[in-house]
Amino acid sequence: MAKDNAEQEIRRDLLQKTCDLFHKFEKQKLDFENKKQIQAEWQQYLRCDGLPDPRVVTQMNTYLHLWQLNPKCDDDELERRCIEALPMLEMLEDFVANSRQYSALQAQSYNEVRIALREQLSTAIQFASYTLLRDLEKHLKFDSIKLASYQREFKGLRLNLWVAVRMPTRKPKPVEPDPEPVELSFPSMRVGVKLPKVIDGSCVCVRAARSMLDLLSESSRSYALVADMPNRYEDLFTFNVKEHVATYKLKKEQDEIRTKFYKEIREKVRELENFMKANPYTKNEKEKEELDKLNMAEPPLLSDPRTYISEQNELAFAKYLKSCMTRTRSGEVNLRKYRICGGVLNLDLLTTPPQPKWMRGCITLTTLQLPKSLQPMTYQVQYRAPSPPPVGVTRTPEEIEMEMKKVEAEYEKLALVFIDLPQELVWSEPPVVCQWQEARKLWTSNYVNDYKFNEDKLTVQFRTGVLWPIGIATLRYSNMPYQGWDVKPDPDSKGVIITVTGVSVTVTWLCVGNSVRLKWIANATTPALKEHFNKPYSVKRMLQIMREAACDFFPDFDAHNHIEGSCPKEWVMERHNYHAMAFLSRAYNFQWSRWNAAAGYRTIVMQIREAVDKKRESKFQLLYVTPQRATILKCNEMSQEYSSEPMMGLQFYPDLFTLNMSYGSVDARRATFNMKYRLVETIFEMLQELKLSSYS
């Protein structure tokens, strides 16, 4: 404890100053972002385009209110709304993602406006589809007297309608031929569907709409992170002070327990000795035996205070992870584990609304059908494939053939859907096809049967008994845990290169100033994300772009529940170390270490070497980081066995930043203090999102 006290005094001097410097840079970045927002508000005001400023919640509420007062929407109005609303939604998504720079009330208001705008846009799509179907002759193109179609591409939306117009009924034939199934193809969406024979193809209406924006998933109960990290923004000095106080408090309690124990022992010994003195002529064998036991007695075994508190912190994080788990129903897609990518495909069987009838004198009559909304055609068939026979039961070829015919007969009642997967996404494994259950607000695969995935052509085919909205779900963390990572200065610019190798692909980013650029993706199966190469984005925007492309390298705090082989670390320590790495990133090359995964909850192990002198490359050493200290280890990455023994002659350093101030070369220290806050905070934010130490 004396040594712990001495180290705590060093922390009060060095670590507190380091944390103050880190806070100063964070505040400068927030002030810079606020200044940018004020300038953007002024530019929006000068633009005077009649549109609201998404930064001003009152303007957005007025815009939404006026939109709700006039809900009528045709396809031209829908085009205008898409052009207006999608950039606003993108800005609002960015505000919600960067909620730390706003007050709690502001962040909540932005989120409420964002959700309301999404709902209003979804309503507009439905109303526009209804308006188009209300007058087929005016809005649709007639390929024949019986068939009409509509096709249009909006911003972020493709809409197709196919209508078989109901013709006058004829006298039935004595023997009616079997109806032909309706087969439809929508090339603009790369989707095809074959309807079952049970659906009357002579008067059917099919709507196919692909929205690039997922307007459904967010209302699912498994979408959002249940709880945020309790100490997400706590600095390392405050964390150590709390632990130090708790350690001494626990030590005091343990000392009191031991003092009380020895006091009781002394009283019992004195009592026995007095008894034996009062009875000198008896043997007192029982008393002597009890006295020997008391003299040999030890206090109850109490764990080391610091170790106990460390274990409690680890248990608290395990409890947090457990609280973040979401129970799902059978067939339900857990959106904490999966993500709907490539938008949402609506394949709807609809009832054609009553059409206008032309009368004399340019008068039209239309039957009024309430409510004025799309009416789905009744079609729902639930089929579950038969379970395999029990182990050891053999079936005859006749039984197998009979069962196959039965399955094929059931399949004939289901719609067959073909989808070409978009090339804009990174496909590393077969996706999950699911459908939206509006009543329960969840994605389910219960109605998906006979699923087939062609990896070479990137197509999926399946049968379904309902035509509900279709989503293609991908495993969010299919590239994790990381296979390796590297952070080093960029020799061609004043930036820093971050390279992360996942299970399937390797991604390289370049952090320069206030932005991050996607440089390269190796081993990708599609040309996804190429249009974003070398374009500057904020870290949050880069995160959104890569998640939408099914290339998620940015785990949430509950990702340990869904990734095998992760190695969770004490977050306050990990976050502080990322900030120190960001400061040192132009002077050092950091790499992953194979010893990190097994190092424990409160230990980070990585490789480090100076990278100031480009002509002379130094060797990698092992950096050892805990919440209490940072040091260089005696062993290295190539050692046969791991040892936490520090290098000879090193003093006590509270963290990586202070270690560099004494251990680093003059050039390394100079490069550290020449770092600008924009670059430091960009790298820091990127490392926080990647969480390299917890997943490699």
Side-chain angles (χ1 to χ4, degrees):
M1 296 306 293
K3 181 183 176 183
D4 196 58
N5 269 331
E7 291 177 351
Q8 187 64 16
E9 289 303 315
I10 297 175
R11 291 189 194 100
R12 290 186 189 281
D13 179 27
L14 298 179
L15 186 58
Q16 187 171 15
K17 291 177 181 176
T18 302
C19 290
D20 290 343
L21 177 64
F22 289 3
H23 288 317
K24 177 186 173 183
F25 270 49
E26 286 187 82
K27 187 178 184 303
Q28 285 180 321
K29 178 66 182 295
L30 289 176
D31 292 342
F32 172 75
E33 293 295 336
N34 290 333
K35 187 177 179 181
K36 271 180 61 178
Q37 181 158 332
I38 292 171
Q39 291 174 347
E41 285 182 24
W42 177 244
Q43 291 298 323
Q44 174 66 25
Y45 178 78
L46 293 178
R47 201 173 294 123
C48 197
D49 54 6
L51 293 177
D53 187 348
R55 304 169 192 83
V56 184
V57 175
T58 52
Q59 292 185 21
M60 288 301 300
N61 285 332
T62 303
Y63 177 80
L64 287 167
H65 180 67
L66 293 174
W67 191 350
Q68 290 165 358
L69 290 178
N70 185 24
K72 294 182 180 179
C73 184
D74 58 11
D75 50 351
D76 292 330
E77 178 71 9
L78 179 61
E79 172 71 13
R80 184 176 72 87
R81 294 295 187 184
C82 287
I83 292 172
E84 292 178 359
L86 289 179
M88 295 182 198
L89 274 173
E90 187 175 314
M91 290 181 67
L92 289 167
E93 295 277 359
D94 191 52
F95 297 160
V96 172
N98 293 283
S99 58
R100 195 184 176 198
Q101 68 187 77
Y102 308 107
S103 66
L105 181 59
Q106 277 181 306
Q108 182 183 351
S109 300
Y110 281 138
N111 194 44
E112 289 173 354
V113 168
R114 182 182 64 88
I115 293 172
L117 185 58
R118 289 165 66 96
E119 291 175 352
Q120 198 63 31
L121 185 60
S122 178
T123 303
I125 295 171
Q126 296 295 96
F127 208 106
S129 302
Y130 173 76
T131 303
L132 291 170
L133 291 174
R134 282 284 288 157
D135 195 341
L136 301 179
E137 189 175 341
K138 179 181 178 182
H139 297 114
L140 272 66
K141 175 185 175 183
F142 277 78
D143 302 318
S144 67
I145 193 174
K146 190 176 180 181
L147 300 177
S149 62
Y150 174 89
Q151 178 178 331
R152 184 167 177 178
E153 185 169 342
F154 305 86
K155 183 173 183 177
L157 173 71
R158 294 188 181 97
L159 180 60
N160 283 248
L161 296 170
W162 186 90
V163 181
V165 182
R166 185 183 293 275
M167 303 299 289
T169 56
R170 57 173 176 76
K171 185 178 179 181
K173 295 180 180 179
V175 179
E176 288 285 345
D178 289 338
E180 289 294 325
V182 177
E183 295 189 35
L184 302 176
S185 177
F186 304 100
S188 64
M189 288 182 279
R190 295 172 289 188
V191 172
V193 59
K194 181 179 179 182
L195 301 178
K197 294 180 181 179
V198 294
I199 296 176
D200 186 3
S202 64
C203 57
V204 69
C205 173
V206 178
R207 179 184 70 158
R210 183 187 284 278
S211 170
M212 303 314 295
L213 187 66
D214 181 3
L215 299 170
L216 301 174
S217 296
E218 199 163 339
S219 58
S220 174
R221 63 192 178 90
S222 67
Y223 180 82
L225 181 65
V226 175
D228 202 357
M229 280 286 286
N231 54 351
R232 182 172 181 177
Y233 299 112
E234 187 173 76
D235 66 69
L236 187 62
F237 177 71
T238 304
F239 177 85
N240 270 298
V241 168
K242 288 181 179 178
E243 276 208 348
H244 190 72
V245 171
T247 301
Y248 265 82
K249 183 181 177 182
L250 181 59
K251 182 183 180 299
K252 185 178 179 181
E253 292 173 356
Q254 291 181 350
D255 289 344
E256 289 175 354
I257 292 172
R258 293 189 184 98
T259 302
K260 183 181 177 182
F261 173 82
Y262 285 121
K263 183 180 179 182
E264 291 175 352
I265 292 294
R266 285 196 299 271
E267 289 175 354
K268 289 181 180 178
V269 168
R270 192 180 301 115
E271 186 180 334
L272 285 172
E273 287 176 345
N274 291 336
F275 178 82
M276 292 170 68
K277 287 179 182 178
N279 300 277
Y281 301 108
T282 57
K283 291 185 178 180
N284 297 322
E285 291 181 357
K286 185 178 179 182
E287 284 74 13
K288 288 179 180 178
E289 184 179 346
E290 189 174 349
L291 187 61
D292 290 340
K293 287 181 179 179
L294 288 173
N295 288 328
M296 297 293 292
E298 292 288 340
L301 184 62
L302 300 174
S303 61
D304 172 64
R306 172 108 25 210
T307 304
Y308 176 79
I309 290 171
S310 302
E311 291 172 350
Q312 291 303 304
N313 286 345
E314 187 171 359
L315 288 173
F317 183 70
K319 187 177 180 181
Y320 165 77
L321 289 179
K322 190 175 181 180
S323 71
C324 290
M325 296 182 71
T326 305
R327 289 186 178 182
T328 55
R329 298 180 174 90
S330 175
E332 180 183 355
V333 175
N334 185 352
L335 295 180
R336 298 306 307 160
K337 186 176 181 180
Y338 292 89
R339 181 183 177 89
I340 305 299
C341 293
V344 175
L345 173 64
N346 285 75
L347 275 179
D348 305 309
L349 281 176
L350 304 172
T351 302
T352 307
Q355 298 299 302
K357 308 295 182 184
W358 287 94
M359 311 295 288
R360 289 182 180 178
C362 297
I363 297 174
T364 59
L365 293 178
T366 309
T367 303
L368 181 61
Q369 190 179 62
L370 296 176
K372 294 181 181 179
S373 61
L374 296 173
Q375 300 299 319
M377 181 182 288
T378 303
Y379 170 67
Q380 184 168 342
V381 178
Q382 186 161 14
Y383 169 72
R384 294 186 183 276
S387 56
V391 179
V393 176
T394 57
R395 295 180 298 173
T396 63
E398 291 78 10
E399 290 175 336
I400 296 173
E401 185 179 359
M402 186 180 299
E403 185 173 326
M404 289 179 63
K405 287 182 178 179
K406 187 177 179 181
V407 170
E408 288 174 2
E410 292 294 329
Y411 278 165
E412 289 296 321
K413 301 176 185 177
L414 306 177
L416 181 60
V417 181
F418 309 89
I419 300 176
D420 290 345
L421 297 176
Q423 296 288 316
E424 296 82 17
L425 274 66
V426 178
W427 303 104
S428 55
E429 58 181 47
V432 175
V433 175
C434 50
Q435 295 171 291
W436 181 253
Q437 279 191 328
E438 180 62 32
R440 294 184 174 181
K441 299 291 183 184
L442 57 83
W443 290 100
T444 179
S445 58
N446 283 336
Y447 288 90
V448 176
N449 293 276
D450 193 24
Y451 171 77
K452 296 174 183 176
F453 169 65
N454 189 317
E455 188 175 0
D456 296 328
K457 296 181 179 179
L458 287 179
T459 60
V460 294
Q461 169 188 325
F462 62 95
R463 297 179 186 270
T464 179
V466 291
L467 288 180
W468 291 340
I470 298 170
I472 305 296
T474 60
L475 198 63
R476 287 186 64 179
Y477 306 121
S478 58
N479 271 294
M480 302 179 77
Y482 303 132
Q483 307 302 297
W485 56 265
D486 183 88
V487 179
K488 63 183 179 181
D490 180 24
D492 301 323
S493 70
K494 293 184 179 180
V496 172
I497 294 174
I498 301 176
T499 302
V500 182
T501 301
V503 174
S504 303
V505 298
T506 299
V507 184
T508 301
W509 295 275
L510 173 63
C511 298
V512 180
N514 199 43
S515 64
V516 58
R517 301 165 188 258
L518 183 61
K519 296 295 291 182
W520 184 248
I521 298 181
N523 304 323
T525 55
T526 63
L529 294 169
K530 281 193 174 180
E531 68 272 18
H532 298 288
F533 283 5
N534 294 314
K535 291 183 179 179
Y537 294 104
S538 68
V539 173
K540 295 296 184 184
R541 183 62 187 142
M542 176 62 69
L543 183 148
Q544 292 169 359
I545 289 170
M546 295 198 68
R547 281 181 172 174
E548 288 167 1
C551 189
D552 195 345
F553 278 74
F554 308 97
D556 283 329
F557 287 105
D558 67 335
H560 297 285
N561 290 330
H562 312 293
I563 299 174
E564 292 185 10
S566 66
C567 48
K569 305 294 182 182
E570 177 65 66
W571 173 245
V572 177
M573 166 193 69
E574 186 177 359
R575 180 175 183 269
H576 182 91
N577 198 54
Y578 290 148
H579 218 158
M581 288 171 65
F583 267 92
L584 274 57
S585 57
R586 286 289 300 167
Y588 287 89
N589 179 193
F590 300 96
Q591 275 190 11
W592 74 289
S593 170
R594 63 191 178 111
W595 306 113
N596 179 66
Y601 178 70
R602 290 170 66 90
T603 304
I604 293 174
V605 181
M606 67 176 71
Q607 298 183 75
I608 183 174
R609 68 178 174 187
E610 280 197 16
V612 181
D613 189 351
K614 301 179 177 64
K615 296 179 181 178
R616 187 174 57 193
E617 201 172 66
S618 58
K619 292 182 179 180
F620 276 110
Q621 296 175 297
L622 283 185
L623 173 67
Y624 178 87
V625 179
T626 70
Q628 282 76 43
R629 72 187 69 245
T631 190
I632 302 296
L633 296 183
K634 199 172 181 180
C635 65
N636 58 42
E637 189 71 6
M638 302 304 169
S639 300
Q640 294 295 321
E641 292 183 356
Y642 170 75
S643 170
S644 59
E645 183 182 353
M647 188 179 287
M648 293 290 292
L650 282 181
Q651 300 174 9
F652 169 76
Y653 301 105
D655 71 332
L656 171 60
F657 187 84
T658 53
L659 172 65
N660 170 63
M661 291 300 100
S662 297
Y663 183 74
S665 67
V666 175
D667 291 334
R669 283 178 276 171
R670 185 184 297 115
T672 300
F673 280 106
N674 287 336
M675 291 290 286
K676 304 299 182 183
Y677 73 89
R678 294 185 191 179
L679 178 59
V680 169
E681 294 307 306
T682 299
I683 299 168
F684 175 45
E685 188 177 0
M686 193 71 180
L687 293 177
Q688 283 187 95
E689 297 294 348
L690 289 168
K691 300 180 180 64
L692 300 174
S693 298
S694 289
Y695 295 94
S696 63

